Amino acid sequence: MQYNSGAQLDPSQMGGGGGGGRIAVGGGVGLIVVLLALFLGIDPGVILGGAQQGQQPSGRGSAPNPYAHCTSGASIEQDRNCRFVAYTNSVQGYWSQAMGQNYQRATTKTFDSQISTGCGTATSQVGPFYCPNDMTVYLDPTFFDQMLKGELGAQGGDAAEAYVIAHEYGHHVQNLTGVMEKVQSQGRQTGQNSAGVALELQADCYAGVWLKHATDDPHSVITSITQDDLNRAIDAAVSVGDDRIQRKSGGGVNPDAWTHGSSAQRKKWTATGFSTGDPQRCNTFGSGA
Ligand SMILES: [Zn+2]
């Protein structure tokens, strides 16, 4: 993934917080098991037991923006952390163009160890997630090296990271379109052909759609998406397939327990999004995903 050093970045789409470090990050199988339930999920507070509707994250709006210095593509060369601004700006740039006035801007917040969110207190163990209550994507950046490349064995790279962020913004789009509420109102659903899995696969498909359009805007900070980038994004999607994680955690493969879909399903829908470039084609519901 290449960046235009002269392109502007908008750090106002970012936030930071947390980092108390009181809760240690676990390792090994325990971490995998937690991720099995929650990885790339939505609203972990429901499962963590810390959720209170309407709860305001502590210190919200008062903490300094740790990305304020990320003002151009050149900033990424000086501070690699600025790449998160690039991913966020590019993904939101696409969706605001595609959805027009129906799009509302979300925020990406990074944290260290744990953070208080509109969906309850989350730790790094839950992996990146989207909280609909405060329309924020949360992630601990150590996830990419420790989990995605480490435990999950993905190739990694910027396109793989951007895919993860774009998947979470896919949930934001689902929040705006109402499909998220529709699915969640039916309760927690698992299984290969469940609405819960269809929701996740649609977020994968939306990530693929964004990747296709990431370079459309001539002012975009992302200037090229190569075949290698696409391969890395799809490799990341495959790495987080439920069947693969079940195997890695030492158990058998049980499709009834799937929450996000198999590696094959996730590959299929990420690729569908990229090949069509059309969010209307992300009809993962009732299509025999
Ligand atoms: Zn998800």
Side-chain angles (χ1 to χ4, degrees), residues 80 83-84 87 144-145 148 156-166 236:
R80 283 276 296 153
R83 71 194 189 278
F84 296 117
Y87 308 154
F144 292 110
D145 281 341
L148 193 64
D158 288 15
E161 295 178 356
Y163 150 78
V164 171
I165 306 268

Side-chain angles (χ1 to χ4, degrees), residues 23-89:
I23 297 178
V25 179
V29 171
L31 193 48
I32 289 279
V33 171
V34 171
L35 285 168
L36 185 61
L38 299 173
F39 181 68
L40 295 184
I42 331 156
D43 199 353
V46 171
I47 299 157
L48 296 173
Q52 288 169 23
Q53 288 290 328
Q55 175 185 340
Q56 287 301 310
S58 62
R60 189 180 181 202
S62 60
N65 181 348
Y67 296 93
H69 62 290
C70 302
T71 53
S72 75
S75 307
I76 302 168
E77 292 155 30
Q78 286 143 27
D79 178 3
R80 283 276 296 153
N81 287 325
C82 293
R83 71 194 189 278
F84 296 117
V85 186
Y87 308 154
T88 299
N89 287 175

Side-chain angles (χ1 to χ4, degrees), residues 10-258:
D10 176 9
S12 75
Q13 297 179 20
M14 306 295 292
R22 262 193 321 118
I23 297 178
V25 179
V29 171
L31 193 48
I32 289 279
V33 171
V34 171
L35 285 168
L36 185 61
L38 299 173
F39 181 68
L40 295 184
I42 331 156
D43 199 353
V46 171
I47 299 157
L48 296 173
Q52 288 169 23
Q53 288 290 328
Q55 175 185 340
Q56 287 301 310
S58 62
R60 189 180 181 202
S62 60
N65 181 348
Y67 296 93
H69 62 290
C70 302
T71 53
S72 75
S75 307
I76 302 168
E77 292 155 30
Q78 286 143 27
D79 178 3
R80 283 276 296 153
N81 287 325
C82 293
R83 71 194 189 278
F84 296 117
V85 186
Y87 308 154
T88 299
N89 287 175
S90 178
V91 172
Q92 299 216 88
Y94 166 70
W95 285 109
S96 60
Q97 177 271 323
M99 295 178 69
Q101 59 185 10
N102 293 323
Y103 190 76
Q104 292 177 58
R105 189 188 276 188
T107 302
T108 301
K109 266 193 180 183
T110 58
F111 67 97
D112 169 24
S113 302
Q114 70 170 331
I115 189 167
S116 175
T117 82
C119 294
T121 300
T123 70
S124 304
Q125 292 183 323
V126 303
F129 67 96
Y130 170 71
C131 172
N133 297 345
D134 56 15
M135 296 208 297
T136 300
V137 170
Y138 291 95
L139 74 126
D140 180 335
T142 61
F143 166 82
F144 292 110
D145 281 341
Q146 289 180 10
M147 285 305 309
L148 193 64
K149 285 177 70 176
E151 303 228 12
L152 297 167
Q155 294 174 59
D158 288 15
E161 295 178 356
Y163 150 78
V164 171
I165 306 268
H167 171 102
E168 300 308 335
Y169 273 89
H171 287 313
H172 176 56
V173 170
Q174 292 172 325
N175 184 24
L176 297 177
T177 62
V179 69
M180 174 181 287
E181 191 182 2
K182 205 168 151 188
V183 169
Q184 291 192 321
S185 69
Q186 297 162 27
R188 183 173 161 78
Q189 303 169 69
T190 64
Q192 190 170 10
N193 299 309
S194 66
V197 165
L199 194 70
E200 294 298 334
L201 296 176
Q202 186 176 64
D204 281 341
C205 186
Y206 285 167
V209 168
W210 160 72
L211 200 60
K212 176 75 172 180
H213 293 287
T215 58
D216 284 1
D217 178 353
H219 303 294
S220 170
V221 67
I222 296 173
T223 55
S224 77
I225 297 291
T226 63
Q227 183 65 43
D228 181 60
D229 290 327
L230 176 64
N231 292 347
R232 284 171 182 271
I234 287 182
D235 172 71
V238 166
S239 301
V240 292
D242 285 326
D243 52 341
R244 177 140 158 192
I245 293 176
Q246 283 177 337
R247 265 190 219 101
K248 271 189 176 276
S249 63
V253 172
N254 174 17
D256 290 339
W258 291 356

